[in-house]
Amino acid sequence: MANIEKQIEVLRAEITRLEKEQQRAEQERKALQNVSEQITAILKENDVTFEAYIGYQLKKVSRIVQKLETKHSSKTAPPAKKAPKSRATGKRGQTKPSKAKITVKIPAGQYNKLPTQPDQVFEVKEKGPRPKILKAYAEEIGLEAFLNQCRIN
């Protein structure tokens, strides 16, 4: 019984809300009709056609019409179905970003005892490029092991 009374109260509240909304819509309709009559009267007084007035206000009118059309179309149109995904094609001229490489910074000094060239001594200066052979071997075995094994001074 209590559930039925709650439903009756909810329905009464809904009815009062709808009645207020109906009154507001009626007032708005009357106001718009009154404004339309006033605009028509003013245009006739000044010998201006309605088309000329709209042409003068075209920017504003087109924005408003566009808003109303989008609002109206979104209410009536069902939501668009998503198309099945097609296979993505690769873009020409673009390469995938390479993974970040761990770079080894070889300190200045003299190095030898490389497996590929055991007799050659490599001189690395404070500034300047490091030999690729040294860098590759250091990355392969690790910097600490490389320094212990190959560093002379």
Side-chain angles (χ1 to χ4, degrees), residues 105-116:
K105 297 191 179 187
I106 301 172
Q110 292 182 338
Y111 300 91
N112 68 350
K113 299 179 188 172
L114 289 176
T116 56

Side-chain angles (χ1 to χ4, degrees), residues 26-90:
E26 184 65 27
Q27 285 177 344
E28 186 177 328
R29 187 186 61 77
K30 285 180 183 178
L32 289 173
Q33 190 175 15
N34 188 17
V35 167
S36 177
E37 290 172 1
Q38 288 177 355
I39 289 174
T40 307
I42 292 171
L43 290 175
K44 281 184 183 178
E45 279 179 22
N46 296 314
D47 285 335
V48 177
T49 63
F50 190 69
E51 290 82 14
Y53 175 71
I54 293 296
Y56 181 74
Q57 299 288 336
L58 186 61
K59 230 179 194 179
K60 292 179 185 177
V61 171
S62 63
R63 283 188 206 142
I64 293 168
V65 168
Q66 190 177 19
K67 283 181 185 178
L68 292 174
E69 284 177 348
T70 56
K71 191 183 292 185
H72 181 69
S73 66
S74 65
K75 286 182 180 178
T76 58
K81 293 181 181 178
K82 289 185 178 179
K85 287 188 176 182
S86 61
R87 227 173 104 211
T89 58

